[in-house]
Each structure stands twice: as C-alpha cells, then as structure tokens.
Amino acid sequence: MAAVRWRRLWTWLRSRKGHDRRDDTSAVSQPDAPAWAAHLPAGTDPAGVDLLAGGSLPGAWTSAWRADGTRTVLSTLDGARVSAAELEERTAAAAGRYAATGLLPGERILLSAGTSVDLVVAYVGALRAGLAVVPANSAYTPAELASLAQAAGPALAVVDDPARLTDPALRVTTPDLANLPATTGADVGLDRADTNDTALIIYTSGTTGRPKGVPLSHGNLLASAHAVRLAWRWEPADTLALCLPLFHVHGLGVGLHGTLVSGAAATLIPRFDPAAVAEAVQRGATLLFGVPTMYHRLAESPQLKDLAPLRLAVSGSAPLPAELHEAVHAGCGQAVLERYGMTETVMLVSNPYEGERRPGTVGFPLPGVEVRLEPREGGTAEIQVRGPNVIAGYLDNPEATAEAYTSDGWFRTGDLGSFDADGYLSISGRAKELIITGGYNVYPREVEELLRSHPAVADAAVAGAPSAQWGETVVAFVVPDDAADSETVVAELDAWCAERLVAYKRPREWRVVDAIPRNALGKILRHELTP
Ligand code: MLC
Ligand code: AMP
C-alpha cells in the first residue's frame, strides 16, 4: 500500500502535462530513506505519506469540511464567523455565479483585493469552478494592474475598487460578486479540477520585459499544503492568525491552503499590526505565520509577550536574523520556526517542529522535497530542488523554463546555500537579481527601466541596502541628464515613481552619481553600487 502511494506520486510527476523542460526521466528515482523523514512524528513510515490526498485543493478541502460542518473555519476580529458548512455553501454559490457569467474551467480570473471573508469565498469558489486564479497585490497602481491584466488575459477581474481597472473589454466585479448573475440552478460542475490542472498563476518578474507566469497546479499546491500540515503538526483544533496578504504563496499557499487542508480555522487580519495579532492570540489563535519585518515590529512592540500562548510561530519569505530570533524568544518564549520557499516551488525546507530550531538556518527538506547543492565558481553553491511541489515550467515561456532547470531536471532556485554537519540548510545569498523588502520581491530591472524612461535621466540603477526593519530597502543611483538639476530630478523622480509603482518598489533613498558602473557588455556591475 505504502509503496503504491510513492509509485503513484512519482508516476504522476513523470506524466505532468504542459511540461516543457528538458527530459528528466533520469532524475526520477524512488528515494529509500528521504531526508525529509526527519519531519515526521516518531514511528511514521515515510512511504505511507500521501501528499496528493484529496486529488485537488477542493477535493481535500471539501472532505475536511464535511467531517464536521458546524466548526468555525473563518473568523474576523469584528466578530464574523463562518462555519465549514457555510463556507461550502457560499463557495458553491460563488462558483455558480462564475458559471452563470459564462466562465469555463481553465479560464483565468484576476483577484486583487484586501483580505476579507468575501475575498476568500471568491477565491475558493473560483478554484471549485475549475478556474485558474491570477492573484495581484491589492495596492498595485492602476498602471501595474493594467500591465498584469494584459499579460494574464483574464476572463474576469475581482477588485476592491473597479475604478482601478479601466480596460473596457474586461469584465470587472467586487469580491462580493454582487454584480454577477446568480446561478440558475444548472449544473455548475463543482470540484472537478484534476491534480494536473492549473490552480494559480502568479507573475513574478514585475511588469516590464516579459513577465514570467508561474502556473501552480492543484498537485503542486496540495503537496506543499500536506507537507507543512504534517511537518508542523497542523490539526483541526488549530486557529491561524492570518495577517499575510492573500496574493502570494506565503499567505495563500501556506496560510489559507494549509488551514483548509488541515480542517483547521483562520482568523483573518486584513492589515498586519501587533495589536491585532495579540487580539487574535487572546481569542485563541494557536499559529502565527509572518515575514521577518512582522517579527521585527512585534519584537519592538509591547504586544510581544502576548505571543506566549501560541503553539507555533513561523517565519519565512526572507532571512530571519539570528538576533531577531533570540529577541522574540527572550520576549515571549517562542522559538520562531524558520522555513524557506519560493513562488515556483511553494514550500521547500523547514526547521523541525520537534527538535532544535537552529537560528540562521532554514532546516531540512519538507516531505516530498529533495534538495541538492550545485557548486559554483568562487566556492559558493546553488540550491537546486525537485518534488511534487515544483512547477513543471513557466507559462508559455520555453526559454525561461529551459534556463530554470538543469539538464537532469532539477529546478534552480537562484539561492546560494550550504548544509551544516547536522543537515540544516543555510541560505548564504542569492545569485539572482532580486531585492526582498518586507518580504516583497523587487526586481531591479523593473524600477531601473521606469527611472530610465524619465526624460531627465541619462542612466539609473537600483540596489538593496541592508535594513533592520525591512531586511533590505531599495536605493536608487541616478545619472541626471546634462541639463537637469540634481535636487529637482530627485523630487521629480520620487513623484514619478509614486504614481507608477506600489509603495514597496519605490526607492527609499536616492544617490545622484556621475556614472553607473557597467562591464564591457553594458551589464550593471551591481556589486560596485554601494548603498
Ligand atoms: C511598506 N513600505 C515599505 C514596504 N511596505 N517600504 C519598503 N518595503 C516594504 N515592503 C513603506 C510604506 O510605503 C510606508 O512608507 C512605510 O513603509 C510604512 O508602511 P506601513 O503601512 O507601516 O507598512 P505595512 O503596510 O504595515 O507593511 C509592512 C508589512 C508588509 C510587513 C506588513 O510589507 C507585508 O505584508 N509584507 C508581507 C509580504 C509577503 O506576504 N511576502 C510573501 C511573498 S511569497 P511611507 O513613505 O508611505 O510612509 C515568498 C515565498 C515564501 O516570498 O517563501 O514565502
Ligand atoms: P518569491 O519569488 O516571492 O517566492 O521569493 C522567493 C525567494 O525568497 C527565495 O528564492 C529566497 O531568495 C527568499 N526566501 C524565502 N524564504 C527565505 C528564508 N527563510 N531565508 C532566506 N530567503 C528566503
């Protein structure tokens, strides 16, 4: 029985459709004693682990809801409560509205809204209707949203403020779906998505050039949700204080999916704030997931001690400094469990729930995940991964796909790392051009292209400067046009960026320089930019 499950998983891995990476059959093997077994409770046979249980996200969620329809699944600090039976009914009604609008399984729906019960219902309803959801930051400027909509080609957009999307050809609604027709009672084809069907498409590399669409299948997301459920001992009795935005894999793929797959509950917190988190804990939340900036703010707040009753506090999306880990521990007794993930792979590696959570490391591979280190020049090594959680390739982009995988089928994370003697992975840096600020990714090229498009700018580059609160902040280096006055240029560029970029992408500091260091091929020598 156990061996059959493993065989099913690996057979499925081999057979995934839309798979435009190079042949990887040589890479597929059945691991005898996977490193990830370290995450399982003592006595659990790793071969008995079924990471695809349920077959699809709605398959797993509906069976958890039906186990006890009366229990609370969602709550808010305003006192709203949604039971499992109610969520099943409301999400079926949402799926009915999509069907009555004429949306067909496989079509795309753009979701860009702040956290609310309505947003969760609109999202889960879309997956139950077999739609592929394209989530977008709810603070994106109209220009950013328009460019994402153009890349994704959705059949419908769900946004808080329809005025933010001005494309007359695009059908737009609010998260309550009130202006969509209600179902006529016809068969809406609920919960028919297959393991290989696309559930989410997340765009990763900003809005210039060719944005990369990351198509996450139900199987990718299900495998990751089950992996963290098992590793973190997530039980129906748990309530997550869900303060992460619901448009990235951290809030969605770990927070919401993990809650629903575990048959547990979440308290929705639309805007992170230490007092709101403390209130959720006081009302019985047992889990908290956050980015390091959130733990930094909690550590500086009078509410830190209020985290003491939590069963588990997890950090990810950016490095958690060892000193911050110690400060949280000293202030409330929580040994924050750091884990590592990526949009393309969902969750990869985690410190153990039982056993030492080693500050400055991200721990061991999660169930189903294999990790290897590929040596590079200069003594560093790239982290490469594979597993049922890893996408099969980028959307309609064979070049990006070919670059992202090794010839033997491992996904290149672009992160650098090393294992210590006990098998804990540490992330020592990044080979990719990326700034992570407050857990949000900023692609330097996107900001640089915008700056260079300003008429008073001759050249520009951006880099990340270390920051205790944000991890990194964006610093811009600008070469003004001959005629331009430095001070005026900076003020103008600041306003120019504010109109076109969401707050976290905007440079926080400006340096006016004579030249941007470039190599003979014109590539920016980023290490020579000293913030
Ligand atoms: C806000 N500001 C930022 C910023 N966010 N500046 C730099 N970087 C950021 N990320 C600015 C605001 O514009 C404002 O400036 C000032 O900082 C204070 O803003 P705020 O309102 O206090 O910030 P807040 O809205 O509270 O945001 C902080 C935060 C948020 C930590 C709650 O950044 C956040 O939710 N981060 C989570 C991101 C996330 O979910 N990442 C997961 C990606 S998935 P001014 O000038 O206007 O006053 C992934 C994979 C994985 O990475 O492994 O998980
Ligand atoms: P994203 O593309 O938004 O999914 O961001 C993924 C990237 O975030 C990874 O490739 C890492 O560079 C970084 N990341 C995620 N978790 C951690 C962590 N715990 N420590 C260091 N970096 C992390």
Side-chain angles (χ1 to χ4, degrees):
M1 174 66 189
V4 170
R5 284 197 176 132
W6 261 109
R7 209 168 305 125
R8 189 157 76 91
L9 181 66
W10 290 105
T11 309
W12 168 78
L13 259 173
R14 284 176 146 154
S15 70
R16 284 177 298 174
K17 63 185 177 192
H19 188 285
D20 59 358
R21 67 171 134 137
R22 277 173 274 176
D23 176 41
D24 69 347
T25 44
S26 64
V28 177
S29 62
Q30 188 169 315
D32 293 321
W36 54 258
H39 284 292
L40 301 177
T44 310
D45 178 1
V49 169
D50 185 359
L51 295 171
L52 299 176
S56 69
L57 292 170
W61 299 344
T62 49
S63 66
W65 296 335
R66 288 168 195 164
D68 177 5
T70 60
R71 67 190 171 75
T72 297
V73 180
L74 299 176
S75 64
T76 68
L77 294 177
D78 300 339
R81 290 186 109 61
V82 180
S83 70
E86 199 186 331
L87 187 60
E88 179 165 5
E89 193 186 307
R90 285 180 65 177
T91 54
R97 284 184 188 267
Y98 297 132
T101 306
L103 269 66
L104 298 171
E107 285 196 296
R108 295 173 195 165
I109 172 173
L110 178 78
L111 242 63
S112 176
T115 295
S116 68
V117 170
D118 279 349
L119 175 71
V120 174
V121 169
Y123 172 69
V124 172
L127 294 184
R128 296 193 71 190
L131 302 170
V133 175
V134 181
N137 194 314
S138 55
Y140 270 173
T141 61
E144 288 167 313
L145 206 52
S147 122
L148 188 71
Q150 204 197 356
L156 175 74
V158 179
V159 291
D160 282 327
D161 175 9
R164 287 172 61 228
L165 256 178
T166 48
D167 178 354
L170 182 56
R171 181 154 194 161
V172 179
T173 187
T174 42
D176 59 9
L177 310 180
N179 72 345
L180 300 186
T183 175
T184 52
D187 179 14
V188 296
L190 273 182
D191 308 331
R192 293 194 187 153
D194 179 70
T195 309
N196 291 315
D197 288 338
T198 301
L200 277 176
I201 304 174
I202 303 184
Y203 283 84
T204 63
S205 49
T207 48
T208 52
R210 187 161 177 210
K212 279 196 284 188
V214 178
L216 287 153
S217 69
H218 281 264
N220 296 147
L221 292 159
L222 192 56
S224 212
H226 278 305
V228 294
R229 173 180 67 74
L230 288 164
W232 301 341
R233 314 287 189 267
W234 211 330
E235 296 292 338
D238 279 311
T239 299
L240 170 67
L242 184 43
C243 54
L244 289 152
L246 296 180
F247 38 74
H248 282 300
V249 297
H250 198 167
L252 273 182
V254 193
L256 184 62
H257 297 180
T259 296
L260 299 179
V261 160
S262 304
T267 299
L268 303 179
I269 300 175
R271 205 172 170 283
F272 171 79
D273 160 41
V277 171
E279 194 181 335
V281 177
Q282 199 250 324
R283 291 183 188 201
T286 56
L287 302 172
L288 172 68
F289 301 164
V291 298
T293 301
M294 293 175 177
Y295 287 102
H296 178 89
R297 289 196 187 171
L298 282 160
E300 304 227 306
S301 76
Q303 285 86 14
L304 180 60
K305 60 181 185 332
D306 301 335
L307 302 187
L310 287 170
R311 180 174 74 74
L312 177 65
V314 178
S315 176
S317 305
L320 181 75
E323 315 79 69
L324 182 52
H325 184 283
E326 304 302 347
V328 174
H329 191 243
C332 66
Q334 292 294 338
V336 177
L337 181 154
E338 184 171 5
R339 63 47 174 189
Y340 159 55
M342 262 187 95
T343 302
E344 289 88 335
T345 64
V346 207
M347 293 302 105
L348 288 168
V349 178
S350 168
N351 266 282
Y353 181 72
E354 286 153 20
E356 188 195 352
R357 300 175 195 165
R358 199 166 281 184
T361 79
V362 289
F364 313 123
L366 276 161
V369 180
E370 289 176 89
V371 176
R372 76 178 184 190
L373 297 178
E374 189 66 28
R376 304 166 82 239
E377 270 175 41
T380 59
E382 184 187 36
I383 301 169
Q384 299 183 347
V385 298
R386 63 181 183 180
N389 51 309
V390 180
I391 58 162
Y394 290 99
L395 190 69
D396 304 328
N397 196 339
E399 305 82 35
T401 299
E403 265 176 44
Y405 297 85
T406 63
S407 55
D408 58 346
W410 291 70
F411 181 79
R412 301 175 198 271
T413 63
D415 292 311
L416 306 177
S418 59
F419 283 112
D420 70 15
D422 300 319
Y424 285 75
L425 181 70
S426 291
I427 300 174
S428 52
R430 290 192 286 270
K432 54 193 172 191
E433 292 200 340
L434 176 65
I435 299 167
I436 305 185
T437 178
Y440 283 123
N441 288 3
V442 179
Y443 299 90
R445 208 181 118 206
E446 181 185 358
V447 183
E448 287 164 357
E449 282 184 17
L450 179 69
L451 294 176
R452 282 188 220 120
S453 70
H454 190 281
V457 172
D459 199 2
V462 301
S467 155
Q469 179 178 189
W470 298 105
E472 292 176 274
T473 52
V474 180
V475 179
F477 297 78
V478 179
V479 183
D481 214 45
D482 285 345
D485 161 71
S486 300
E487 254 174 56
T488 324
V489 168
V490 166
E492 259 183 42
L493 285 176
D494 201 27
W496 169 266
C497 289
E499 254 176 59
R500 292 164 177 82
L501 294 176
V502 61
Y504 70 85
K505 294 181 195 166
R506 286 164 49 194
R508 297 284 139 182
E509 285 176 52
W510 298 88
R511 310 260 187 279
V512 173
V513 294
D514 294 332
I516 301 297
R518 289 178 183 275
N519 69 12
L521 299 171
K523 193 170 155 34
I524 295 171
L525 296 169
R526 229 167 270 285
H527 59 278
E528 289 186 16
L529 294 169
T530 40

